[in-house]
C-alpha cells in the first residue's frame, strides 16, 4: 500500500535524480568546453610569424631615406644573367654574318653600322627585368608583388637627356627635346639610315617594345620619352636579319633605363 508519505519519498527521489542528472550534464558541458577555452587562450597568446618582406616593403624603406626616380625604377635577378649573356653572344654572332653579307653586297656602310651595333652591345653589360616596378603599379597588382628573396638588386636611374637610334648606319644618340616624336627623330637622322626600311621598333624606358610603320604606306607616329631607343629594320633580306630585327629590341628592353643609376641589395635592408 502506497501512503502519502511513500508518494512524497518517491517524488523526492525523482527530483534528486533529476538534479543529479543536471549536475552531471553541467559537468559534462564544462568538460566539453574546457579544451576549447584552453585552445583559444593558446591562440591569443601566440605571436604569428611576420610575413616575408616584399618588393613594395623594400621600396617604402628606401623612400624613407632618399628620393627615388620611380619612372626609371628597376629590379634585377642574378639567375637571368646567363640567359642575357647567351642572347648577347647570339646577337654578336648574327651581326658578324650580316656584316659579311653586307660587304658581299657592296654595302660597306651597312657593314660598318653593324659593327657599331656590336660595339654598342658590348657597352650594355648591365641588365634588368623589363616592366614597371614602382609602388603605384605594385599596389594596383598585389598578386604580382615579388618577395625580397626573389630579387637580387633594385634601383633607379637618373632621367637621361637622350634618345638612341640603332640604324643600319650605326648607333646614334640625339638630345631629347620636349614634345619629341619618332618623326622628329627621323628628321634628325641621315635619310639613308631608314630609306629602305618599312618599320622601326620603339623601346620605352620601362621596357615596352612597339612596332611602328615609317614608310609612306604605313606611317605611324609616337611620342618619345627621354631614354627611349628605336631600332630601324635592316635592309637585308635574310632569315638572320629578320631574327636580329626581332631580337635586338627585346634585348635592349632588358638594359638599364639610363646611364647614372643607383643599385641597392634589398636583402641588406633586413639584416
Amino acid at each position: 500500500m502506497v501512503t502519502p508519505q511513500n508518494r512524497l519519498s518517491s517524488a523526492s527521489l525523482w527530483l534528486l535524480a533529476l538534479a543529479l542528472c543536471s549536475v552531471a550534464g553541467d559537468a559534462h558541458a564544462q568538460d566539453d568546453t574546457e579544451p576549447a577555452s584552453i585552445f583559444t587562450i593558446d591562440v591569443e597568446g601566440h605571436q604569428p610569424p611576420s610575413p616575408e618582406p616584399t618588393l613594395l616593403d623594400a621600396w617604402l624603406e628606401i623612400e624613407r631615406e632618399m628620393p627615388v626616380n620611380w619612372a626609371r625604377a628597376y629590379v634585377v635577378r642574378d639567375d637571368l644573367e646567363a640567359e642575357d649573356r647567351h642572347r648577347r653572344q647570339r646577337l654578336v654572332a648574327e651581326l658578324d654574318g650580316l656584316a659579311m653579307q653586307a660587304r658581299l653586297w657592296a654595302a660597306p656602310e651597312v657593314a660598318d653600322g653593324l659593327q657599331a651595333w656590336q660595339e654598342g652591345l658590348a657597352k650594355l653589360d648591365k641588365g634588368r627585368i623589363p616592366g614597371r616596378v614602382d609602388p603605384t603599379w605594385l599596389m594596383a597588382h598585389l598578386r604580382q608583388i615579388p618577395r625580397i628573396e626573389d630579387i637580387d638588386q633594385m634601383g633607379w636611374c637618373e632621367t637621361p637627356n637622350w634618345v638612341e637610334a640603332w640604324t643600319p648606319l650605326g648607333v646614334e644618340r640625339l638630345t631629347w627635346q620636349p614634345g619629341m616624336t619618332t618623326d622628329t627623330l627621323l628628321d634628325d637622322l641621315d635619310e639613308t639610315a631608314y630609306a629602305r626600311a618599312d618599320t622601326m621598333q620603339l623601346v620605352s624606358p620601362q621596357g615596352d617594345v612597339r612596332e611602328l610603320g615609317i614608310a609612306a604606306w604605313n606611317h605611324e607616329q609616337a611620342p618619345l620619352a627621354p631614354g627611349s631607343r628605336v631600332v630601324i629594320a635592316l635592309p637585308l633580306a635574310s632569315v638572320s636579319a629578320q631574327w636580329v630585327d626581332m631580337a635586338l629590341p627585346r634585348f635592349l628592353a632588358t638594359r638599364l633605363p639610363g646611364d647614372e643609376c643607383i643599385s641597392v641589395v634589398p636583402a641588406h635592408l633586413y639584416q
Side-chain angles (χ1 to χ4, degrees):
M1 179 178 179
V2 179
T3 65
Q5 184 177 0
N6 291 336
R7 286 197 297 268
L8 180 60
S9 297
S10 299
S12 298
L13 291 172
W14 182 82
L15 290 173
L16 179 60
L18 182 62
L20 290 173
C21 289
S22 177
V23 171
D26 290 343
H28 186 269
Q30 290 176 0
D31 290 342
D32 287 343
T33 58
E34 186 176 2
S37 177
I38 293 174
F39 179 75
T40 301
I41 293 172
D42 183 63
V43 170
E44 290 176 351
H46 177 67
Q47 295 295 329
S50 300
E52 296 183 8
T54 67
L55 176 60
L56 180 58
D57 297 324
W59 279 133
L60 297 178
E61 289 286 340
I62 292 174
E63 191 178 26
R64 293 189 186 101
E65 303 296 328
M66 64 186 77
V68 178
N69 186 13
W70 297 119
R72 299 296 185 278
Y74 63 86
V75 296
V76 177
R77 280 178 48 189
D78 292 343
D79 60 352
L80 298 178
E81 184 177 349
E83 182 179 348
D84 283 347
R85 185 166 55 250
H86 175 73
R87 287 181 183 177
R88 188 203 311 271
Q89 292 171 347
R90 170 79 185 276
L91 278 166
V92 169
E94 296 290 348
L95 291 172
D96 267 336
L98 289 173
M100 183 180 299
Q101 178 182 330
R103 295 190 189 282
L104 291 174
W105 289 1
E109 69 284 357
V110 174
D112 293 341
L114 297 183
Q115 183 178 349
W117 284 20
Q118 292 176 308
E119 295 170 356
L121 287 172
K123 298 175 183 178
L124 299 175
D125 57 342
K126 295 182 179 180
R128 52 91 186 253
I129 299 175
R132 286 184 59 180
V133 292
D134 56 278
T136 299
W137 190 91
L138 293 173
M139 286 187 287
H141 301 80
L142 295 177
R143 293 180 180 273
Q144 300 182 42
I145 300 178
R147 299 172 300 175
I148 282 302
E149 66 180 30
D150 297 326
I151 300 297
D152 295 297
Q153 292 183 50
M154 56 194 294
W156 61 95
C157 299
E158 297 297 323
T159 301
N161 65 347
W162 50 259
V163 293
E164 196 170 76
W166 292 62
T167 81
L169 300 185
V171 182
E172 186 173 355
R173 281 190 172 181
L174 306 173
T175 301
W176 179 83
Q177 301 292 339
M180 195 171 190
T181 69
T182 51
D183 279 357
T184 54
L185 178 141
L186 292 176
D187 290 341
D188 290 337
L189 295 175
D190 188 323
E191 187 175 352
T192 59
Y194 59 89
R196 296 175 57 189
D198 289 336
T199 61
M200 70 161 55
Q201 302 284 338
L202 171 60
V203 184
S204 76
Q206 288 74 37
D208 298 318
V209 180
R210 175 186 175 189
E211 183 176 273
L212 294 173
I214 59 174
W217 62 272
N218 67 349
H219 178 263
E220 298 174 271
Q221 178 180 251
L224 284 179
S228 298
R229 292 182 167 101
V230 299
V231 181
I232 305 295
L234 292 173
L236 300 172
S238 67
V239 173
S240 180
Q242 293 174 1
W243 183 84
V244 170
D245 286 341
M246 175 191 67
L248 178 59
R250 293 181 181 178
F251 180 79
L252 295 177
T254 66
R255 301 302 91 188
L256 294 185
D259 298 324
E260 304 296 327
C261 303
I262 297 173
S263 290
V264 176
V265 177
H268 293 172
L269 299 172
Y270 299 93
Q271 291 180 349

